Amino acid sequence: MPTKIIEPWGGKLVDLTVSQEVLPEALARAKTLPVVRLSERALCDVELLATGAFSPLDRFMGAADYERVVAEMRLADGCLFPTPVTLSVLPDDAIRVDSEVALVDAKNEIVATMTIEEVYEWDLAKTSREVFGTNDDRHPLVAEMHRWGRQNISGQLKVLRSPVHFDFRELRLTPAQTRRRLQAGNFENIVAFQTRNPLHRAHEDMTKRAIEQVDGLLLLHPVVGMTKPGDLDHFTRVRTYKALAEHYYDPDRILLSLLQLAMRLAGPREALWHALIRRNYGANHMIIGRDHASPGKDSQGNPFYAPYAAQEMVQQFEAELGVKVIPFGEFVYLPEEDRYEDSRLLEGQVTATSISGTQAREWFREGNVNLPSWFTRPEIAALIAEKHPPRHKQGFCVWFTGLSAAGKSTTAEILTALLQEHGRQVTVLDGDIVRTHLSRGLGFSKHDRDVNIRRIGFVAGEIVRHHGAVVCAAVSPYRATRNEVRNMVGADRFVEVFVDTPLDECERRDTKGLYSKARKGELQNFTGIDDPYEPPLNPELTLETVNATAEENAYVILAYLRARGWIT
């Protein structure tokens, strides 16, 4: 007889997939419909909506659900649901109530159809403030939301073809498949562990302790969709999870399954959402540790969320949700006793050693794989080391921002020569040159400027990901878009350089006559004249150019890069 595990949230799993019998007809019809292209985030959401991971949600949220979730963390019918799941679009004649659209991926492959029942405006500032607790666009999702369409659409979804993943196919289990595996076991108590990082020895001990505490089975459930920008790629991470599951856990007490989730990094609300999702996969317990789903630090260098705010949020609702929190603090190693312990349980003078996840990632980025055996298994260190060459061979991006004629391109040109002198191969992405070759046809509206900057950011991110150095010089006037680029590249590999030259000095230097034309009204939307420039709030470097030469400033940047280990 199957083991009894907790039922899905709302009583049953949603299933939005079209049956094979009617699929050919549905696909033929979908090919005749107007198209809405899904972002990577929306594609992840469709996949999890289709299989019931977001049960009882059976569509992208309509206005009533969206408004109440933002304000109260509940759907319109009162059901607990802490995070908006919406589909934003730009205004279009095809987007109207009672019309039908095809939802396609980046390759224009049809994924689903939607019969539009609602089109409504959403509030960026309110969503940021209520869901993420901040309007600071250094938060990855707050920055990203600035480019979302101002309208949301909702209606009946029919999923025709979920995205196909060719990697780790045996581990990509739907909620229904996961529940069948769990029901075939001998444990009613299922402990979920959410992770987007490799597991170290402290995590291993924490999860094993949780298994014993509830006499249950561990659902090791790493996110392989969209995580925090700059995280280790999921291919390497999953290899580390497989190695641990195969060699260091009782095979009857662990199930490794992958979750194609697009994280929001919403801290406390995200933690509650994670618990709800894991209930749909069959878990009735969840480990919530320190800084769960944290995006890091804000523009002032302060954490977005208190370290244990996520634990407190989930504990507040655990009776209603039916998923009990297993709370842990920072696990430290006690060398005199050769064991691990929650730092909050230690009393008196105890010798304890720890390496934070942030510090460990920094060590790996520097190519240091000689971490102590008490911190990480040797197999894990070796797998991660394959992706992290020595620091001076890793990629980075220097991003110059400032007014036109501030001195960005001149300083960038000198810096490029100095980097090459120090043995780095460098790609230069200058705003004017990119507009000629990559962004021809774009104008100077805010939308077109943002598109141009995102294109530069995308190319820069790909170069850095493959261990290249890239120097970008573009006015990039809008703070949110620059922060979005920071996230594309990875915050730890992005050096924002604010070339802080006064407007009158830029006008005096202007050899192209652009400011003069803007003053006369011959150029519209010119930054500094009739369009704003938003200076960085906390750039890595600020350069003053009136009393310092471009060459002197280039050496300032070079010293910074040397201190960070990117050049020898």
Side-chain angles (χ1 to χ4, degrees):
M1 184 174 180
T3 303
K4 181 177 176 57
I5 61 174
I6 194 169
E7 67 179 13
W9 187 230
K12 64 177 182 179
L13 287 178
V14 168
D15 183 358
L16 304 180
T17 55
V18 170
S19 67
Q20 290 297 314
E21 290 76 13
V22 300
L23 181 59
E25 180 182 348
L27 276 173
R29 174 173 171 73
K31 292 175 183 177
T32 69
L33 300 175
V35 165
V36 171
R37 183 170 287 105
L38 297 172
S39 66
E40 182 183 0
R41 180 173 303 284
L43 195 62
C44 289
D45 288 346
V46 166
E47 184 171 344
L48 295 189
L49 280 166
T51 58
F54 295 163
S55 297
L57 197 63
D58 65 354
R59 64 189 61 205
F60 287 104
M61 289 178 181
D65 282 335
Y66 159 75
E67 292 287 352
R68 193 167 182 192
V69 165
V70 168
E72 304 176 46
M73 301 197 302
R74 293 186 182 278
L75 299 174
D77 64 6
C79 183
L80 182 68
F81 205 99
T83 307
V85 178
T86 56
L87 181 59
S88 65
V89 294
L90 296 170
D92 187 281
D93 291 341
I95 304 300
R96 61 184 187 278
V97 174
D98 294 330
S99 66
E100 190 175 7
V101 294
L103 307 182
V104 302
D105 63 15
K107 297 179 181 179
N108 293 315
E109 295 285 345
I110 295 171
V111 175
T113 61
M114 177 192 289
T115 302
I116 300 177
E117 298 170 21
E118 293 183 69
V119 181
Y120 63 96
E121 300 286 329
W122 65 282
D123 189 325
L124 190 156
K126 181 179 180 181
T127 302
S128 300
R129 183 176 62 253
E130 297 296 330
V131 177
F132 303 103
T134 182
N135 288 111
D136 187 336
D137 55 29
R138 189 60 71 87
H139 189 294
L141 255 292
V142 174
E144 182 185 316
M145 287 194 299
H146 280 268
R147 65 177 166 91
W148 293 2
R150 295 275 69 85
Q151 294 180 327
N152 287 339
I153 59 174
S154 177
Q156 183 184 20
L157 272 178
K158 296 179 180 178
V159 179
L160 310 183
R161 293 187 291 201
S162 285
V164 177
H165 306 284
F166 295 100
D167 58 312
F168 307 113
R169 297 191 73 162
E170 75 283 4
L171 300 178
R172 292 183 176 273
L173 305 178
T174 66
Q177 291 169 334
T178 304
R179 297 176 73 86
R180 284 196 291 271
R181 294 273 190 97
L182 295 174
Q183 287 169 335
N186 298 315
F187 301 97
E188 291 187 7
N189 288 328
I190 308 299
V191 180
F193 186 64
Q194 146 84 27
T195 181
R196 58 179 178 81
N197 292 308
L199 266 63
H200 301 304
R201 293 289 298 275
H203 300 131
E204 185 185 329
D205 190 82
M206 183 190 303
T207 53
K208 289 177 178 177
R209 191 174 302 190
I211 293 171
E212 295 303 321
Q213 182 177 322
V214 302
D215 187 26
L217 180 148
L218 176 69
L219 173 60
L220 181 55
H221 213 204
V223 172
V224 295
M226 297 178 69
T227 61
K228 183 179 177 181
D231 280 351
L232 186 65
D233 68 274
H234 81 267
F235 300 101
T236 304
R237 288 192 290 113
V238 175
R239 291 169 68 199
T240 69
Y241 306 140
K242 289 182 68 176
L244 281 174
E246 291 170 5
H247 299 293
Y248 296 102
Y249 285 83
D250 179 344
D252 295 327
R253 303 289 290 268
I254 185 171
L255 175 62
L256 172 60
S257 177
L258 309 185
L259 181 65
Q260 192 68 20
L261 178 69
M263 291 183 66
R264 273 62 170 174
L265 300 171
R269 282 199 184 212
E270 177 108 359
L272 185 57
W273 190 42
H274 288 171
L276 183 155
I277 291 169
R278 271 41 183 241
R279 170 165 174 168
N280 287 325
Y281 279 84
N284 61 339
H285 292 77
M286 185 164 178
I287 297 170
I288 305 288
R290 191 174 186 273
D291 290 325
H292 188 104
S294 170
K297 296 181 179 180
D298 62 20
S299 294
Q300 306 305 317
N302 301 313
F304 278 101
Y305 309 113
Y308 296 105
Q311 281 185 9
E312 294 166 3
M313 171 73 81
V314 185
Q315 285 173 324
Q316 181 182 346
F317 292 96
E318 65 179 8
E320 178 180 356
L321 185 59
V323 178
K324 186 173 178 58
V325 176
I326 301 181
F328 286 111
E330 180 187 10
F331 258 46
V332 295
Y333 178 64
L334 308 181
E336 295 177 357
E337 303 176 43
D338 189 26
R339 68 181 183 89
Y340 302 86
E341 189 53 85
D342 188 327
S343 59
R344 296 182 297 182
L345 302 179
L346 299 178
E347 297 180 358
Q349 296 294 322
V350 178
T351 301
T353 308
S354 68
I355 299 177
S356 70
T358 300
Q359 183 181 354
R361 286 191 291 273
E362 187 63 28
W363 283 14
F364 281 125
R365 291 185 192 112
E366 292 172 0
N368 181 358
V369 296
N370 297 314
L371 293 175
S373 59
W374 60 262
F375 177 73
T376 188
R377 298 287 188 183
E379 300 97 323
I380 309 309
L383 286 169
I384 298 173
E386 292 177 7
K387 302 295 292 188
H388 291 290
R391 183 72 162 176
H392 67 279
K393 293 184 179 180
Q394 294 177 19
F396 63 89
C397 171
V398 178
W399 187 280
F400 289 90
T401 178
L403 294 170
S404 179
K408 302 182 298 298
S409 295
T410 303
T411 310
E413 182 181 359
I414 298 169
L415 176 65
T416 300
L418 294 176
L419 289 172
Q420 290 173 327
E421 177 186 338
H422 284 76
R424 293 302 309 241
Q425 297 298 312
V426 186
T427 300
V428 179
L429 298 175
D430 183 87
D432 291 336
I433 296 173
V434 168
R435 275 191 171 272
T436 299
H437 297 288
L438 190 62
S439 296
R440 182 184 296 275
L442 289 180
F444 289 88
S445 66
K446 184 180 188 306
H447 174 266
D448 283 4
R449 288 173 187 236
D450 284 346
V451 169
N452 183 52
I453 295 306
R454 290 190 193 105
R455 287 179 183 177
I456 298 174
F458 173 77
V459 175
E462 288 300 295
I463 293 169
V464 169
R465 189 164 64 88
H466 293 285
H467 309 308
V470 58
V471 174
C472 305
V475 173
S476 44
Y478 308 120
R479 194 177 295 131
T481 313
R482 291 195 304 269
N483 281 324
E484 191 177 344
V485 169
R486 176 186 291 271
N487 294 327
M488 289 181 186
V489 173
D492 60 303
R493 293 167 289 195
F494 186 83
V495 181
E496 187 175 34
V497 179
F498 175 32
V499 185
D500 188 10
T501 305
L503 177 61
D504 58 352
E505 177 64 16
C506 291
E507 292 195 59
R508 188 189 68 78
R509 295 177 182 176
D510 182 24
T511 59
K512 301 175 184 177
L514 299 178
Y515 283 99
S516 176
K517 292 180 180 178
R519 292 286 186 191
K520 295 174 183 177
E522 297 173 10
L523 283 180
Q524 302 297 317
N525 303 318
F526 193 80
T527 301
I529 304 300
D530 60 346
D531 203 70
Y533 177 80
E534 300 171 357
L537 296 178
N538 191 21
E540 279 69 23
L541 291 170
T542 298
L543 303 180
E544 188 274 318
T545 69
V546 175
N547 299 305
T549 67
E551 185 173 3
E552 289 170 338
N553 281 330
Y555 274 101
V556 169
I557 303 170
L558 192 73
Y560 179 88
L561 298 176
R562 181 182 289 113
R564 293 290 302 274
W566 280 311
I567 58 172
T568 56

